[in-house]
Amino acid sequence: MGLAKTEMFTDEQNKISLFAKAFGHPARVAILQHLFKIDTCICGDLVNEIGLAQPTISQHLKELKNLGLIKGNVEGTSVCYCIDKENWASMKDIMTHFLDQDISSNNCC
Amino acid sequence: MGLAKTEMFTDEQNKISLFAKAFGHPARVAILQHLFKIDTCICGDLVNEIGLAQPTISQHLKELKNLGLIKGNVEGTSVCYCIDKENWASMKDIMTHFLDQDISSNNCC
DNA sequence: TTGTTTCATTGCAATATTACGATATAATAT
DNA sequence: ATATTATATCGTAATATTGCAATGAAACAA
């Protein structure tokens, strides 16, 4: 089907999978890493930095923006993007909680 | 296309996106959470716990196993699954490093 | 052997994702 | 006004993902 049955899962599980899905493409990972490194970044820089076409980058940026992980500010004809730190922090909390699960006992198999 | 151009990204970026993709479906998140909670788990229990059909669960388990995040042990007619803690830990290192990026300066926009 | 149980695999339909050319839009420059 | 620059959106082709019915395989039970 290609359609996840989200209604049978908890809000937390759905939230984790939505964030994870955003990181599920190397271009979006690269965009985020570049935004962290440069702190702020014009969209056009990302098109040069990463090797994908401009509409493709724009599409990836839109997904990240819809999730709230980045913000975009129009500056003349260009758009300045940066990490939304508050939302990044709360995303990090959720993901870290998921990754930090631990079990005391030994491996079963 | 539906095909990510992995060759234009770093190994780290591709690795992050592969792990993230595994967490990009709530059923796989639920499976992993259940394995952590129960420590060890028969495949059939997961089919009951989560509401998806047996072949669907089996498929999700296969993906997690291919990535090395879980292990499966045959026990008679059933199969016992559990987290591969070593691989989980190294995955966690990679993901945490990605999530923990920080910038000293203030928001740009 | 003949079922029975449990899980994996196959095949397929429905939907989602990725990528990009073409085009629209919006700000600025001349 | 017209051109230029930067980005967004649309449309579409190629591929991937999800879900499950049907079936296969493997261990066990009677």
Side-chain angles (χ1 to χ4, degrees):
Chain A
M1 305 224 151
L3 172 62
K5 295 191 158 179
T6 56
E7 74 282 1
M8 48 182 27
F9 300 102
T10 67
D11 282 356
E12 195 202 12
Q13 286 161 348
N14 282 316
K15 217 179 281 184
I16 290 170
S17 70
L18 282 180
F19 284 131
K21 204 184 271 188
F23 305 143
H25 192 292
R28 290 189 291 268
V29 171
I31 287 171
L32 291 165
Q33 283 179 334
H34 197 250
L35 286 181
F36 269 117
K37 202 173 89 186
I38 305 299
D39 192 3
T40 173
C41 193
I42 297 297
C43 170
D45 298 346
L46 289 165
V47 175
N48 295 328
E49 179 77 11
I50 302 168
L52 296 169
Q54 178 266 323
T56 308
I57 297 291
S58 197
Q59 193 172 291
H60 285 307
L61 286 168
K62 190 181 177 183
E63 285 179 61
L64 294 172
K65 202 173 155 194
N66 284 344
L67 256 183
L69 295 174
I70 65 174
K71 292 188 283 190
N73 239 5
V74 178
E75 288 188 358
T77 66
S78 53
V79 177
C80 162
Y81 281 100
C82 67
I83 304 284
D84 185 320
K85 294 181 192 177
E86 218 171 298
N87 289 346
W88 183 272
S90 68
M91 175 281 294
K92 197 168 81 175
D93 281 351
I94 293 171
M95 295 306 282
T96 300
H97 181 251
F98 170 67
L99 295 172
D100 272 349
Q101 298 174 279
D102 262 318
I103 26 182
S104 39
S105 53
N106 292 327
N107 277 342
C108 71
C109 44
Chain B
M1 308 224 149
L3 172 62
K5 296 190 158 179
T6 56
E7 73 282 1
M8 49 182 28
F9 301 102
T10 67
D11 282 355
E12 194 202 14
Q13 285 161 349
N14 283 315
K15 215 178 281 183
I16 290 170
S17 70
L18 281 181
F19 284 131
K21 205 184 268 189
F23 305 143
H25 193 292
R28 290 190 291 267
V29 171
I31 287 171
L32 291 165
Q33 284 178 333
H34 197 250
L35 286 182
F36 269 117
K37 203 174 89 186
I38 305 300
D39 192 4
T40 174
C41 192
I42 298 298
C43 171
D45 297 347
L46 288 165
V47 175
N48 294 329
E49 180 77 11
I50 303 168
L52 295 169
Q54 180 267 323
T56 308
I57 296 292
S58 197
Q59 191 173 291
H60 284 308
L61 286 169
K62 191 180 177 184
E63 285 178 59
L64 293 171
K65 202 173 154 194
N66 285 343
L67 257 182
L69 294 174
I70 65 173
K71 290 189 285 192
N73 238 6
V74 177
E75 287 189 359
T77 64
S78 53
V79 178
C80 162
Y81 281 100
C82 66
I83 303 286
D84 186 320
K85 293 181 190 178
E86 218 171 299
N87 290 346
W88 183 272
S90 68
M91 174 282 293
K92 195 166 83 175
D93 281 350
I94 293 171
M95 295 305 281
T96 301
H97 181 251
F98 170 68
L99 295 172
D100 272 349
Q101 299 174 278
D102 262 318
I103 25 181
S104 39
S105 52
N106 292 327
N107 277 341
C108 72
C109 43

